[in-house]
Amino acid sequence: MIALYAAALDGAVRNVALRQTVTDYRALALAERYTQPFGIYAYGILREFDLPDVAGAVAPRPVLLLNPLTPLGEPAGPAARDLYGGAPNTSVRTMDAARIQCRS
């Protein structure tokens, strides 16, 4: 998530890929329970913006959300695509964990 903010603030960042992050702050605020670490969210931030807004601010540079999650850590599925529909520079992809490989 920090990479998304860095890209919004620094035009030198060419693209952003987020893997298994929560889709939006609003979902966390409305959830009765969540598994995401709460300490990474700033108090009152929803009065100003949410994560899809930050992704849109990165445009025209691409943003990739790979396997986005609900507040409970479950796959967000099509709901994530709906949330980011207003940010045409953002792609939401779902891949089986066995297909994801880390490269050094």
Side-chain angles (χ1 to χ4, degrees):
M1 208 161 308
I2 292 170
L4 182 62
Y5 283 110
L9 295 170
D10 186 350
V13 177
R14 296 187 330 189
N15 54 54
V16 179
L18 304 174
R19 189 180 71 143
Q20 296 179 325
T21 59
V22 69
T23 56
D24 61 313
Y25 293 135
R26 182 163 309 284
L28 281 169
L30 296 175
E32 290 183 27
R33 297 179 330 193
Y34 50 86
T35 59
Q36 301 296 318
F38 193 66
I40 61 172
Y41 309 105
Y43 175 79
I45 204 163
L46 278 173
R47 284 182 239 155
E48 304 300 325
F49 58 86
D50 204 344
L51 294 175
D53 302 313
V54 180
V58 174
R61 296 165 291 151
V63 175
L64 169 64
L65 274 71
L66 182 59
N67 295 345
L69 303 173
T70 69
L72 289 174
E74 299 167 346
R81 284 186 187 83
D82 294 342
L83 280 170
Y84 286 84
N89 62 314
T90 304
S91 299
V92 178
R93 302 272 190 260
T94 303
M95 292 182 72
D96 181 5
R99 293 181 56 200
I100 300 174
Q101 297 178 351
C102 295
R103 297 179 189 191
S104 302

